[in-house]
Amino acid sequence: MIRSLRISFFALLFVLAGCAGVDIEDYADSEPRLDIAEYFAGTTRAWGMVQDYSGEVQRRFTVEIQGSYEDNTLTLDESFVFSDGETDRRVWTFDRIDEHRWIGTANDVEGQVEARQYGHAFHMRYPLEVEIDGRMISFTMDDWMYLQPDGRLINRTAMRKFGFTLGEITLVFDKS
C-alpha cells in the first residue's frame, strides 16, 4: 500500500513538473526589447544544431533568412543548408495583432500559430511533422527566442511528443 502511494505521488509530481513552464509575460520588463519585425528585416544568418533526447548532435545546419515587413505582415523566407548537403525551405508569414501578439503560418506547419513577444523574448508553440528514418513523426515545437545585449538572438526549441522532450534545436542568429 505504501509503495503504491509513493509511486502515485512521484507520478503526480512528474506530471505536474511537465505542466510547469515559464510565462513569456515574466520577461515584459527585460532589455533589450525584441520586436521580430525589426530584428528580421533584411538578411539574417543563423547557425544551428538538432540534438536527440540524450543530447547527441544529430544534425548541424545554417540558415539564411530574407525578411520583409509591410502592412503589419512579416514574411520570413528561410533557406536551410544541412551539413550533409541537404537543403530545405520554410516561409513564415506573421500578422501583427498588437504590440505583443502575432498570428503565424508556414508552408509546412498545419494551421495558425499564436506567437507572443515580451521584453527580450519571443515564444510560439506549433505542430510540425518531421521525417525521421523515412517516417513522418508529428512533434509539438516549443520555440523560444531571446535577444542578447550584443544583438545576437538565441533560439531554443524543444521537440515534444506526448509531453516528453525527444529532441532540441538550438540556433544563434546574427545580423552582421
Side-chain angles (χ1 to χ4, degrees):
M1 174 76 171
I2 291 175
R3 183 171 188 257
S4 177
L5 284 173
R6 281 186 184 156
I7 291 171
S8 296
F9 175 73
F10 285 112
L12 178 62
L13 283 179
F14 181 74
V15 168
L16 291 175
C19 295
V22 176
D23 185 346
I24 190 156
E25 292 181 25
D26 292 346
Y27 297 116
D29 296 327
S30 65
E31 297 285 338
R33 300 191 91 53
L34 172 62
D35 183 299
I36 63 166
E38 291 173 12
Y39 188 86
F40 285 108
T43 301
T44 307
R45 289 192 42 90
W47 298 261
M49 63 182 173
V50 179
Q51 295 170 275
D52 66 16
Y53 64 93
S54 72
E56 182 180 347
V57 175
Q58 296 296 311
R59 299 191 87 179
R60 291 174 295 128
F61 61 93
T62 60
V63 59
E64 184 170 299
I65 302 167
Q66 296 300 322
S68 62
Y69 185 61
E70 187 174 326
D71 298 327
N72 286 328
T73 298
L74 173 64
T75 302
L76 303 177
D77 190 342
E78 304 174 337
S79 297
F80 295 85
V81 178
F82 293 88
S83 57
D84 63 3
E86 181 184 345
T87 61
D88 198 5
R89 181 172 179 230
R90 175 176 297 129
V91 178
W92 279 102
T93 302
F94 290 97
D95 293 315
R96 185 186 292 270
I97 304 304
D98 58 34
E99 177 185 1
H100 301 289
R101 294 181 307 136
W102 298 83
I103 296 295
T105 58
N107 54 308
D108 59 350
V109 174
E110 188 176 320
Q112 294 185 328
V113 177
E114 182 179 339
R116 298 188 305 152
Q117 61 186 28
Y118 282 87
H120 78 284
F122 176 85
H123 178 245
M124 63 181 173
R125 186 175 290 126
Y126 57 93
L128 183 68
E129 285 201 355
V130 178
E131 184 177 339
I132 299 176
D133 296 330
R135 293 183 16 207
M136 295 304 287
I137 299 175
S138 182
F139 289 95
T140 297
M141 309 299 277
D142 191 13
D143 199 341
W144 288 86
M145 295 182 190
Y146 305 95
L147 183 60
Q148 302 304 297
D150 67 359
R152 287 188 181 95
L153 187 65
I154 298 173
N155 185 181
R156 296 200 49 183
T157 305
M159 300 172 67
R160 295 199 173 114
K161 184 81 175 168
F162 305 119
F164 295 98
T165 299
L166 299 180
E168 291 188 357
I169 303 170
T170 306
L171 290 108
V172 176
F173 296 91
D174 191 10
K175 291 294 292 180
S176 55

